[in-house]
Amino acid sequence: MRIGYARTSNIEQVAGLEAQERDLKAASVEKIFREQVSSVAPRLQLEAMIDFAREGDTVTVTKLDRLARSVRDLMAIVDRLKTKGVALRILDMNIDTATATGELMLTILGGIAQFERTLMLERQREGIAKAKAEKKYKGRAPTARSKAPEIEALLRQHIGAQEITRRLGISRSSVYRVMEHAGIDTKLQSGAGRMEA
């Protein structure tokens, strides 16, 4: 069976979703799983699609970025599909892992990405070593830790985590770390955040 997956980042991108569905149908896809969520949010339809796929099926996407958030994410998805005997087809790159050439292309893509990451980390380490030698390295500023008193003050005012992240420009996980350290029930506080929104 030919299965399709279509995704846009938000609900306003209706035209983008419709274009993907049109291209998937033109590629003879029989069943389409669709969702409108950010790639970093839980992708429930992606999980449903992987669960639905059976041996001999082909999963088709219009573009790589509609399926995966990174090469590591892509390789994890491909491994899950391969374990089930399911091939992956990426229309805009003309890659089909059901063929030896398609599988090779995907492996090369993953290898290049890994090589680039290794080079980037090596350059980063060299830069840090040089900065330390010149006594210029200070490390990353612990922004969330330095804002802990402000976070705790807002929490005591029953301000939710989402609003605190907006006001202080920090991540939600940083707020939750401070909440745990201060012994504040994260479930109660996240509920307060939803009530504010």
Side-chain angles (χ1 to χ4, degrees), residues 6 20 29 81-82 88-89 96 106-107 115 119 131 138 150 152-153 159 161 171 173 180 182 188 190 196:
Q20 288 177 62
V29 166
L81 293 173
K82 193 173 182 180
L88 172 65
R89 186 175 174 208
D96 186 344
L106 202 59
T107 303
F115 177 67
L119 287 179
K138 296 176 183 173
E150 292 175 74
E152 287 184 35
I159 305 295
S171 71
S173 60
E180 284 175 27
L188 290 175
S190 63
E196 280 175 9

Side-chain angles (χ1 to χ4, degrees), residues 1 17 38-41 47 51 76 79 88 108 114 140-141 158:
M1 183 175 194
L17 194 63
S38 161
S39 64
V40 296
E47 291 302 318
D51 186 55
D79 283 345
L88 172 65
I108 290 170
Q114 183 59 46
R140 191 179 73 168
H158 302 289

